[in-house]
């Protein structure tokens, strides 16, 4: 692969690292008493304020391409990709733990793969090596994430983190003390439903990118529509003014970070990657989130690393590599087929052109000299 082909991969790795930081900060803000509806509303507002100026300066020529069909597609994208996805995820995160929430998001590749098949965006291809790699890789990714969540194993001795954050550790300890009274099953179910909404957004975004491929403009409009939706939901669920109050604290940091990185940067990069690589390519990077959260948990929260987490990480990385290899092989084979078809079309076009030229020459009126010679 060349340097340009690595850019989508680097973009999606950046997205997952950004999401990992958002999970840590958002969980701390929720443990501090912030409403999941309020943080989602603030997230969309911040993202809208950031994306609209960027879209105006970089993509204002594409504004004339916005049609009623595009607006409807963006509306459905905002409902599934932002409002439902983020609200359900934050509520699930509040009711459960970051580990469970991050682990269950790894059902996203399997859900996306299943949903994309009826739309003919992905093929199973059990008889091809590339198709088998995608299926086995998806199973390994999901299995590895589940192993990290439900199997602990022995403790792996590691050196202490040099950037341990005492404040974060105290917040997590206080939240863990109340974990037994929370409805963990409901939280887990909400996270899975949020993944379903996210997968539907991948499909809608892939369809929309064919007619309107302007990631900053579409992302800005998506965040604006989602912001209105989330503000209405938050106003209905949290009518007290104190629920919206923020100071120079973890609530402000989480809201700004979620809007800037979680929505502004991440949605733009994912929209761009979906347009050039497809929805499955984007969804398959979600397992990296769990690994990144585990690293941040050790570095910042001083969490312990256990054998189950280490084995699960290896399975996730191996499965991710298999799916990317299978997807890359399919793209390469498709490119070769297109080249062959183009060459055949050129040959047919050349033959047709020769036939047409001969017909034109034969039908051209002869000059008097040629007529005399012929007689």
């Amino acid at each position: 692969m060349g340097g340009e082909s690595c850019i989508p991969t680097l973009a999606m790795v950046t997205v997952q690292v950004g999401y990992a930081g958002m999970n840590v900060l958002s969980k701390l803000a929720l443990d501090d008493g912030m409403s999941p509806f309020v943080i989602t509303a603030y997230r969309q507002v911040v993202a809208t304020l950031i994306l609209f100026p960027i879209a105006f300066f970089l993509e204002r020529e594409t504004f004339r391409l916005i049609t009623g069909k595009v607006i409807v597609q963006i509306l459905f994208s905002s409902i599934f990709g932002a409002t439902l996805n983020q609200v359900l995820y934050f509520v699930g995160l509040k009711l459960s733990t970051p580990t469970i929430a991050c682990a269950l998001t790894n059902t996203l590749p399997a859900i996306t793969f299943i949903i994309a098949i009826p739309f003919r965006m992905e093929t199973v291809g059990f008889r091809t090596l590339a198709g088998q790699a995608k299926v086995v890789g998806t199973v390994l990714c999901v299995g590895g994430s589940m192993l990290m969540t439900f199997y602990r194993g022995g403790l792996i001795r590691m050196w202490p983190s040099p950037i341990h954050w005492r404040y974060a550790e105290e917040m997590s300890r206080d939240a863990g003390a109340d974990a037994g009274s929370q409805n963990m099953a409901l939280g887990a179910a909400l996270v899975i439903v949020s993944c379903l909404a996210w997968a539907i957004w991948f499909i809608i975004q892939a369809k929309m990118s064919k007619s309107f491929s302007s990631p900053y403009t579409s992302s800005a409009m998506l965040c604006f529509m989602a912001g209105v939706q989330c503000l209405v939901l938050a106003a209905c669920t949290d009518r007290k003014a104190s629920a919206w109050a923020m100071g120079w604290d973890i609530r402000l940091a989480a809201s700004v970070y979620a809007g800037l990185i979680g929505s502004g940067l991440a949605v733009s990069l994912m929209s761009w990657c979906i347009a050039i690589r497809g929805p499955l390519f984007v969804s398959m990077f979600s397992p990296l989130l769990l690994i990144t959260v585990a690293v941040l948990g050790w570095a910042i929260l001083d969490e312990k690393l256990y054998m189950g987490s280490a084995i699960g990480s290896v399975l996730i990385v191996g499965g991710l590599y298999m799916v990317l290899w299978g997807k890359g092989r399919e793209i390469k084979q498709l490119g070769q087929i297109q080249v062959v078809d183009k060459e055949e079309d050129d040959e047919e076009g050349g033959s047709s052109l020769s036939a047409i030229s001969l017909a034109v020459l034969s039908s051209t009126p002869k000059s008097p000299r040629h007529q005399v010679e012929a007689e």
Side-chain angles (χ1 to χ4, degrees):
M1 291 186 177
E4 294 183 357
S5 61
C6 295
I7 295 178
T9 301
L10 294 176
M12 288 310 305
V13 172
T14 302
V15 168
Q16 297 306 320
V17 173
Y19 274 148
M22 185 192 69
N23 271 271
V24 174
L25 290 178
S26 298
K27 179 59 177 176
L28 292 175
L30 294 171
D31 291 343
D32 191 50
M34 191 174 189
S35 168
F37 297 96
V38 173
I39 190 175
T40 306
Y42 277 136
R43 173 181 178 176
Q44 302 305 328
V45 172
V46 172
T48 302
L49 295 176
I50 293 172
L51 287 174
F52 261 115
I54 298 176
F56 177 78
F57 285 108
L58 297 181
E59 299 176 346
R60 59 180 178 271
E61 294 83 3
T62 63
F63 288 178
R64 57 184 176 83
L65 301 177
I66 300 176
T67 62
K69 179 181 178 181
V70 172
I71 293 176
V72 172
Q73 289 176 330
I74 295 177
L75 175 62
F76 280 100
S77 295
S78 66
I79 294 174
F80 289 99
T83 303
L84 287 178
N85 171 35
Q86 296 174 15
V87 168
L88 292 172
Y89 182 82
F90 279 129
V91 175
L93 179 63
K94 185 177 180 65
L95 295 176
S96 60
T97 64
T99 302
I100 293 177
C102 292
L104 291 176
T105 55
N106 292 284
T107 59
L108 179 62
I111 295 174
T112 304
F113 186 73
I114 294 173
I115 294 179
I117 292 175
F119 292 94
R120 297 183 178 180
M121 294 182 178
E122 294 293 339
T123 57
V124 179
F126 284 112
R127 297 182 179 179
T128 64
L129 188 60
Q132 294 171 0
K134 289 196 302 182
V135 173
V136 175
T138 300
V139 173
L140 287 177
C141 286
V142 176
S145 63
M146 295 299 101
L147 182 64
M148 292 183 69
T149 303
F150 301 110
Y151 175 69
R152 188 173 185 177
L155 177 64
I156 299 177
R157 301 292 180 179
M158 298 182 63
W159 62 92
S161 171
I163 54 174
H164 184 200
W165 192 11
R166 294 293 179 184
Y167 170 78
E169 182 188 13
E170 293 174 0
M171 293 290 295
S172 300
R173 186 184 300 114
D174 294 339
D178 298 332
S181 61
Q182 297 175 346
N183 194 336
M184 304 290 286
L186 177 60
L190 291 176
V191 173
I192 294 177
V193 177
S194 74
C195 291
L196 176 61
W198 203 359
I200 295 175
W201 173 74
F202 283 156
I203 305 301
I204 298 174
Q205 187 66 32
K207 291 287 186 181
M208 185 181 67
S209 63
K210 296 180 180 179
S211 58
F212 187 73
S213 57
S214 300
Y216 294 109
T217 303
S218 61
S219 299
M221 296 177 63
L222 182 149
C223 292
F224 174 75
M225 294 180 182
V228 175
Q229 298 163 13
C230 292
L231 285 172
V232 173
L233 287 175
C236 294
T237 56
D238 298 286
R239 299 181 180 180
K240 297 181 180 179
S242 58
W244 297 83
M246 288 192 304
W248 295 99
D249 51 13
I250 192 65
R251 297 188 180 191
L252 177 62
S255 300
V256 174
Y257 186 95
L260 178 62
I261 305 298
S263 290
L265 178 64
V267 173
S268 299
L269 290 178
M270 286 192 298
S271 299
W272 176 72
C273 289
I274 288 174
I276 63 176
R277 287 295 181 89
L280 181 62
F281 176 85
V282 174
S283 68
M284 280 310 303
F285 281 86
S286 61
L288 292 179
L289 175 61
L290 185 57
I291 299 175
T292 308
V293 168
V295 173
L296 290 179
W298 164 78
I300 298 177
L301 307 179
D302 196 28
E303 292 184 356
K304 307 301 181 182
L305 179 62
Y306 293 90
M307 187 62 66
S309 300
I311 298 176
S313 300
V314 174
L315 292 176
I316 290 173
V317 174
L320 178 61
Y321 177 80
M322 290 184 64
V323 173
L324 293 179
W325 180 86
K327 189 66 177 177
R329 185 179 178 89
E330 283 186 349
I331 294 174
K332 184 178 180 180
Q333 292 175 348
L334 180 61
Q336 292 175 349
I337 294 175
Q338 291 176 347
V339 170
V340 172
D341 291 342
K342 185 176 183 301
E343 291 177 352
E344 292 178 352
D345 292 339
D346 292 340
E347 292 178 358
E348 294 177 358
S351 302
S352 301
L353 180 60
S354 301
I356 293 173
S357 301
L358 290 174
V360 170
L361 290 174
S362 62
S363 62
T364 302
K366 296 180 180 180
S367 63
R369 176 186 175 187
H370 289 164
Q371 291 177 354
V372 171
E373 292 178 350
E375 294 176 352

